[in-house]
Amino acid sequence: MAKTGKIAFILEQVRLCLDHQDYVRAQILSRKISPIVFDIDTSKEKKKPKEGDNLVEEAPADIPSLLELKRIYYELMIRYYTHNNDYLEICRCYKAIYDIPSVKENPALWTPVLRKICWFLVLAPHDPMQSSLLNSTLDYKILSELPNFRLMLKVAVILLSSQIICLNFT
């Protein structure tokens, strides 16, 4: 069975668990898929694959492509993290969806995703990862097309830095 077929099967199990509100089992199943598998470049051909290599074979016609499976995986993880109110992880999932080439190329797709990234970044509790994501998102040049959201992120950075300064003086 091709690796994409296995991933599609596990994702369907995760979807069914989420539909039945079995969040513990959904988390267990989702951990069977390493997000690194979605970053494998299948266009590079290797001369001789070694016996233990994890190669992603081409998907059969009835199974979605690896990039489509990546989108499905992160959408399911958004459903899971929404149940836990983990806004930072929801933001990271949307960032992964934003990084899919087909989403970046289509303004009808990237605009709502980028808006959600901004909202969940602001909603997330302050920690170093949130601060890092906030600064990296502000560096997106495409964010200039959403000036209100860019302003919202800048205000969040200013508020966070002023809180840190106040905490240092107490």
Side-chain angles (χ1 to χ4, degrees), residues 19-60:
D19 288 347
H20 289 281
Q21 298 179 352
D22 187 357
Y23 296 102
V24 173
R25 189 165 286 135
Q27 181 188 27
I28 292 168
L29 288 168
S30 70
R31 287 186 176 172
K32 291 184 178 188
I33 300 172
S34 173
I36 295 170
V37 77
F38 299 121
D39 296 331
I40 294 174
D41 188 7
T42 57
S43 64
K44 293 181 181 177
E45 293 182 23
K46 294 185 178 179
K47 295 178 183 176
K48 291 183 182 178
K50 296 179 183 174
E51 189 174 317
D53 284 350
N54 281 338
L55 293 178
V56 178
E57 300 172 16
E58 262 321 293

Side-chain angles (χ1 to χ4, degrees), residues 135-162:
N135 289 322
S136 68
T137 304
L138 272 171
D139 290 339
Y140 285 172
K141 293 181 180 178
I142 201 82
L143 196 59
S144 63
E145 294 186 28
L146 303 171
N148 291 337
F149 288 91
R150 183 175 181 81
L151 180 63
M152 179 176 66
L153 292 180
K154 284 183 177 182
V155 168
V157 168
I158 292 169
L159 289 174
L160 289 175
S161 63
S162 66

Side-chain angles (χ1 to χ4, degrees), residues 3-5 7-8 11 33-42 55-59 63-73 100:
K3 191 154 196 116
T4 52
I7 293 170
L11 288 177
I33 300 172
S34 173
I36 295 170
V37 77
F38 299 121
D39 296 331
I40 294 174
D41 188 7
T42 57
L55 293 178
V56 178
E57 300 172 16
E58 262 321 293
I63 296 176
S65 69
L66 194 60
L67 291 176
E68 184 65 19
L69 289 173
K70 178 179 181 177
R71 186 191 56 77
I72 294 168
Y73 171 78
I100 297 173

